[in-house]
Amino acid sequence: MAGLDELYREVILDHYRNPRRKGTLSGDHVHAEGNNPSCGDEFFLDLLVEDGVVVDAAMLGQGCSISQASGSMMMDAIVGQSVDDIQDLAGKFRIMMTIDEGENPVDEERPGSVLGDLEALQGVRKFPVRIKCADLAWTTLAQALDQTAS
Amino acid sequence: MSDLRALRADFPILSREVNGKPLVYLDSAATTQKPQSVLDAMNSYYENSNANVHRGAHTLAVEATDLYESARTKVAAFIGTSPSQLAFTRGTTTAINHIAYGWGLHHLSEGDKILLTIMEHHANIVPWQLVAKYTGAELVYLDLDDDFGVDTSELDKVLDERVKIVSFSGMSNVTGALGPIDVLSKAAASVGAISVLDAAQLVPHTNVDVEALGVDFLAFSSHKMLGPTGIGALWGRADRLEEMEPAEGGGEMINVVERHASTWAPVPHKFEAGTPPIAEAVGFGAAVDYLSAVGMDNVVAHERSITAYALDRLSEVPDLTIYGPKDVSKRGGAVSFELGDIHPHDIATILDQDGIAVRAGHHCARPLMKYLEIPATARASFYLYNVPEEVDLLVESLHKARGIFGLV
Ligand SMILES: Cc1ncc(COP(=O)(O)O)c(C=O)c1O
C-alpha cells in the first residue's frame, strides 16, 4: 500500500484529471506523436520554438494516469524555457527515472527544485513496468526537439 | 457451485505469493496455469525418451514418436475427431496462418471477400489482411448487436458468391461472448465459402464436438487449456486438408524430395515441417487427459457459476461498467470492465499489489475496442481452478482502487 501511495500522489491524479495545455497549436509549429504499442497509450505534442525558446506547446493524449500526468507536468515545465534548459531537464528526469538502487536510491534527496511537480513521479520507479508510461511524453518531446534542430 | 476447489492443489503455482499476498490468478484467457501432471509428463519425456520423431530406428526415437503420435490421438479425441485430421501447430495464430497461406492464397483473387466479425482477435484479422494484400481480396466485418453478440441480421447484405472465407471466433477473449457458429458456418456453406473457427477460447471452456459444428477448419492453443506454450492444433475437414497446400516446407513434411520438386507427406504431416515441439505435444496430451478426467461438463458448470457470481459482485461496484453479455448462457468466463475514469493499467497495478493478476489493454482486439469506443479494458478471466473467494478479493481490491483515485 505504501508503494501505491507513492505512485498515485495527489498531484499526479490532479494532472491526470486536469491535463495542462490540452489541445493543438494552429499556425507554425512542430508536431510529434508517441505511443506505447504494448499498452495503447498515446501522446501528441505540438511545440512552437522561437529563437531557441519553447514559447508555446499543446498536447493531446490518451492513456493511464502515469503517462498522462507525466505529459501534463512536462508541459508546465517546458513552456517559456530554452531548448538547452529543456534538454538539461530531460536529462535530470531520465536520471530520476533510472532504477539504480545503489547510486540513485528512491528516497534520497532529488534535484526537486528543478523538477518541480515532476518529482512526484519518483514513486513510479518502484513499479518498473510503469516507467515506460512516465517516459512516453519525454520520448515524444525528444522527437519534437529533433525536428526543431534540423 | 460445482466444487472443483480440491483441484487447486494440482497447480503448484497457485500456492505462491505475489507482493506478499496469495496469488489470485484471473488471467486464464491470456494463458492458463499448468497442473503437475502436465509438468511431469514433459519432464519424463526429456528424462526418459528424448529423441527426434519419425523415421528413427532406435528405441528412443520409437518411444518419442509413439508419445508424439499418441498426444495427437488424445487431442483429436478431446474434440471428437480422428488424429488424421489434426495437425500440430505452434498455436492458434499459426494454425490460422496455415489456412491463410495454404488455402487463402490459392483460392482467392481480386474482388473476393473474406468475412470476419468485429470481435476478432488480431490472430484472426492480420493473417487475412495479408491474404487480402497478396490476392486483392477485401475484408468485410459483421458488427455486434446490443448484447455484444455478433449481429447476423444484416448477413444477407454482405453474403454473396464473392465471399470465399468466413472466419470467426467461437468465444471472444474480450467480452466473453459466444460466436454464432451455427449461423455463420451455414451461411458460409450456402455460398460455397469455407468457414474457419477461432476456437482459442472455445475448446478450453466448452465441450466441443468438432464434426458437429459444421465448420471447415478449427484452430486452438494448448497453453489456454492447461498445456504448455509453443503448441496448438489445426483441425480441418478431410477434403479441405487435402486441398490445402503446406504453408511451410522442410523436413518431416515431405514424401520424396528431388532437385527441383518434392511430394508431400500425407495429411496431417504435410503441415508439420521441421522438428515439431515434441515435449510440448506430450504436455498437451497430458493437459487434455487432465481436463477429461475432471470432465468438461464439470468445467463448464463451474465456470458458469463463478462467472455468474463475478458478474453479480462486480455489478455492485459503483462506476463499474461491464463490456459483455450478462446472461451466462451466452458467454464464457472472460469479463472485461472499466471502473470510472481509472485507466485499466492503473487498475491492474493496484490489483497486482494485492496479488491479483488481471490483464489491461486492448487484448489484441483493437478493432473491437475502436468499435466499442473504448481505449482499453481491464479483464478478469476464470478457469476451473478459480474459487468465489477470489472474486471477493477482486471486488475488495477494486474498492481500494476507487479510494486511491478518490471516486466516491
Ligand atoms: C480468441 C483468440 N484467438 C486467438 C488467440 C491467439 O492464440 P495464440 O497466441 O495462442 O496463438 C487468442 C489468445 O491470445 C485468443 O484469445
Side-chain angles (χ1 to χ4, degrees):
Chain A
M1 205 45 205
L4 287 177
D5 286 346
E6 274 175 55
L7 184 64
Y8 296 115
R9 304 240 180 110
E10 198 94 7
V11 56
I12 290 181
L13 297 184
D14 177 54
H15 277 274
Y16 173 51
R17 292 206 164 109
N18 308 293
R20 317 298 198 259
R21 295 180 181 270
K22 190 172 174 164
T24 55
L25 295 184
S26 50
D28 254 9
H29 64 269
V30 293
H31 174 79
E33 301 190 354
N35 75 312
N36 278 338
S38 61
C39 61
D41 287 5
E42 292 173 341
F43 192 78
F44 298 167
L45 179 64
D46 287 354
L47 279 190
L48 178 58
V49 180
E50 281 174 5
D51 301 327
V53 173
V54 171
V55 295
D56 201 1
M59 62 94 145
L60 284 177
Q62 194 251 107
C64 68
S65 64
I66 304 304
S67 70
Q68 301 307 302
S70 177
S72 172
M73 291 172 177
M74 183 185 83
M75 302 305 276
D76 267 356
I78 62 174
V79 175
Q81 305 294 318
S82 72
V83 171
D84 286 347
D85 286 349
I86 291 171
Q87 301 284 20
D88 195 45
L89 180 75
K92 291 200 165 72
F93 181 77
R94 219 171 0 252
I95 291 170
M96 182 180 85
M97 297 310 296
T98 305
I99 322 173
D100 181 348
E101 293 295 323
E103 283 171 37
N104 198 20
V106 175
D107 295 321
E108 195 190 277
E109 201 61 50
R110 306 247 66 80
S113 51
V114 194
L115 288 168
D117 279 2
L118 284 165
E119 213 204 341
L121 287 165
Q122 268 189 68
V124 177
R125 290 192 303 165
K126 286 197 177 158
F127 298 83
V129 291
R130 303 300 297 276
I131 290 175
K132 71 175 187 328
C133 310
D135 282 346
L136 176 62
W138 296 83
T139 51
T140 314
L141 174 67
Q143 287 174 43
L145 291 177
D146 277 353
Q147 294 176 44
T148 66
S150 58
Chain B
M1 175 164 305
S2 118
D3 206 339
L4 303 182
R5 180 176 310 262
L7 301 181
R8 289 178 63 84
D10 298 337
F11 294 79
I13 207 171
L14 295 182
S15 56
R16 74 160 274 181
E17 294 193 340
V18 169
N19 292 317
K21 307 277 174 62
L23 167 65
V24 174
Y25 187 75
L26 303 181
D27 196 18
S28 291
T31 199
T32 60
Q33 298 304 345
K34 322 303 175 200
Q36 190 66 51
S37 60
V38 167
L39 308 177
D40 287 348
M42 294 174 72
N43 226 0
S44 162
Y45 162 74
Y46 278 126
E47 283 175 358
N48 300 304
S49 310
N50 179 51
N52 211 332
V53 290
H54 301 307
R55 286 179 298 279
H58 62 78
T59 300
L60 293 188
V62 172
E63 282 182 24
T65 304
D66 283 351
L67 282 166
Y68 181 70
E69 290 304 328
S70 82
R72 189 196 307 278
T73 304
K74 288 175 186 182
V75 174
F78 187 73
I79 59 166
T81 189
S82 118
S84 65
Q85 283 171 263
L86 189 122
F88 282 131
T89 64
R90 203 151 51 78
T92 305
T93 305
T94 310
I96 295 173
N97 275 281
H98 273 288
I99 307 164
Y101 284 88
W103 199 92
L105 280 192
H106 306 285
H107 289 84
L108 272 71
S109 50
E110 187 152 1
D112 283 341
K113 292 190 272 191
I114 300 167
L115 181 60
L116 307 175
T117 88
I118 199 67
M119 74 178 192
E120 299 313 312
H121 187 282
H122 295 165
N124 197 26
I125 297 176
V126 184
W128 304 120
Q129 290 175 342
L130 290 168
V131 170
K133 183 174 151 190
Y134 297 140
T135 62
E138 170 198 4
L139 303 190
V140 185
Y141 288 89
L142 292 173
D143 286 344
L144 302 189
D145 62 26
D146 294 342
D147 199 26
F148 299 91
V150 175
D151 183 359
T152 52
S153 66
E154 309 261 284
L155 197 49
D156 285 350
K157 288 199 183 140
V158 289
L159 199 66
D160 58 37
E161 308 286 325
R162 296 315 300 260
V163 176
K164 293 290 192 283
I165 296 172
V166 180
S167 191
F168 57 100
S169 169
M171 185 188 288
S172 163
N173 63 310
V174 180
T175 64
L178 290 166
I181 299 173
D182 197 46
V183 174
L184 290 182
S185 62
K186 287 190 173 124
S190 76
V191 291
I194 62 159
S195 48
V196 177
L197 184 60
D198 172 353
Q201 299 293 339
L202 193 71
V203 169
H205 302 286
T206 59
N207 229 326
V208 168
D209 178 6
V210 73
E211 310 274 355
L213 292 178
V215 296
D216 293 283
F217 291 106
L218 175 133
F220 59 108
S221 299
S222 147
H223 70 98
K224 292 185 195 290
M225 46 192 290
L226 311 183
T229 54
I231 191 159
L234 164 65
W235 172 89
R237 245 174 55 183
D239 54 337
R240 293 300 186 195
L241 291 173
E242 288 301 335
E243 72 192 35
M244 185 159 117
E245 293 289 330
E248 295 178 344
E252 313 273 356
M253 54 76 70
I254 43 81
N255 182 19
V256 178
V257 178
E258 306 287 359
R259 276 194 185 214
H260 298 290
S262 302
T263 53
W264 311 143
V267 170
H269 296 100
K270 85 172 178 189
F271 303 115
E272 295 178 2
T275 299
I278 307 164
E280 286 77 5
V282 171
F284 195 2
V288 303
D289 280 347
Y290 187 93
L291 287 170
S292 300
V294 174
M296 282 310 285
D297 289 340
N298 292 326
V299 172
V300 172
H302 175 81
E303 281 187 45
R304 279 211 179 156
S305 63
I306 197 159
T307 305
Y309 182 67
L311 292 172
D312 227 41
R313 291 291 328 265
L314 287 171
S315 65
E316 291 165 14
V317 179
D319 310 310
L320 190 142
T321 311
I322 291 171
Y323 292 91
K326 300 281 154 38
D327 177 350
V328 288
S329 69
K330 293 183 178 166
R331 60 166 304 138
V335 182
S336 270
F337 60 89
E338 277 193 318
L339 181 56
D341 71 348
I342 314 178
H343 193 276
H345 287 119
D346 292 314
I347 295 175
T349 293
I350 293 169
L351 299 189
D352 183 56
Q353 289 300 296
D354 285 335
I356 303 171
V358 299
R359 192 146 290 250
H362 52 50
H363 314 293
C364 294
R366 244 183 126 251
L368 173 61
M369 305 312 261
K370 288 252 160 177
Y371 174 80
L372 296 173
E373 296 179 346
I374 45 177
T377 69
R379 181 189 70 192
S381 53
F382 304 101
Y383 209 14
L384 73 176
Y385 38 63
N386 290 117
V387 291
E389 297 90 299
E390 293 180 304
V391 173
D392 296 338
L393 290 168
L394 167 69
V395 168
E396 208 177 291
S397 200
L398 290 172
H399 281 295
K400 186 189 286 181
R402 294 185 75 252
I404 290 171
F405 272 72
L407 297 181
V408 280

